[in-house]
């Protein structure tokens, strides 16, 4: 797993672009699956801001980072309360997190419809008028 912030940021952007390409080419299951990894990488990039140079990080925190559970990663990034507060005043952000938080790495074993893939893509990348969770997270890494 990449562990440097810059690498995680680059991977997050790359996974999002790959998901867009898959969706455009009508590979909806792949788009759904890869889009979730874009958010996972973005959350892990946010988590890296907690580490300091020349300091050994808390082992229990480091162990917890090796998860694919987006809600857990949001907490570890210290962004759960901020997102909850912003969701109270932003129905689009609330709807988008409601879609994305259900993604799991087990998506690789499922078939997703066009509707499901486009819903997660909208939730992550926005709809052209409003930003998605990817933009919300990337402003905080």
């Amino acid at each position: 797993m990449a562990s440097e912030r810059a690498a995680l940021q680059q991977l997050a952007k790359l996974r999002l672009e790959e998901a867009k390409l898959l969706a455009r080419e009508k590979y909806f299951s792949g788009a759904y699956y890869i889009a979730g990894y874009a958010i996972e990488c973005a959350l892990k990039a946010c988590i890296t801001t907690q580490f300091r140079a020349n300091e050994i990080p808390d082992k229990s925190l480091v162990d917890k980072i090796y998860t694919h559970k987006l809600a857990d990663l949001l907490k570890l990034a210290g962004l759960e309360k901020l997102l909850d507060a912003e969701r109270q005043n932003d129905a689009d952000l609330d709807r988008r997190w409601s879609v994305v938080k259900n993604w799991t790495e087990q998506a690789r074993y499922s078939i997703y419809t066009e509707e499901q893939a486009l819903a997660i893509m909208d939730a992550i990348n926005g709809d052209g008028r409003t930003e998605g969770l990817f933009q919300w997270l990337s402003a905080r890494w």
Side-chain angles (χ1 to χ4, degrees), residues 24-64:
R24 273 194 307 272
E25 294 298 319
K26 301 192 183 313
Y27 292 102
F28 299 117
S29 295
Y32 184 97
Y33 175 60
I34 297 296
Y37 273 115
I39 292 298
E40 180 180 328
C41 290
L43 284 164
K44 289 181 177 181
C46 291
I47 291 169
T48 65
T49 64
Q50 298 176 34
F51 297 107
R52 306 283 179 252
N54 305 312
E55 182 180 294
I56 297 173
D58 179 74
K59 183 181 181 322
S60 67
L61 172 61
V62 172
D63 289 343
K64 290 175 186 174

Side-chain angles (χ1 to χ4, degrees), residues 119-137:
I120 202 167
M121 293 300 298
D122 168 71
I124 290 171
N125 194 49
D127 61 8
R129 296 183 327 265
T130 56
E131 294 183 335
L133 281 167
F134 187 88
Q135 292 82 10
W136 189 89
L137 288 169

Side-chain angles (χ1 to χ4, degrees), residues 57-96:
D58 179 74
K59 183 181 181 322
S60 67
L61 172 61
V62 172
D63 289 343
K64 290 175 186 174
I65 294 168
Y66 286 86
T67 184
H68 302 284
K69 297 178 181 173
L70 301 183
D72 291 352
L73 291 170
L74 184 71
K75 286 179 195 174
L76 292 170
L79 295 172
E80 182 182 40
K81 289 181 182 177
L82 178 61
L83 181 62
D84 286 347
E86 291 190 23
R87 286 173 52 210
Q88 297 297 316
N89 299 316
D90 186 337
D92 284 331
L93 186 60
D94 183 52
R95 177 183 54 77
R96 287 186 165 113

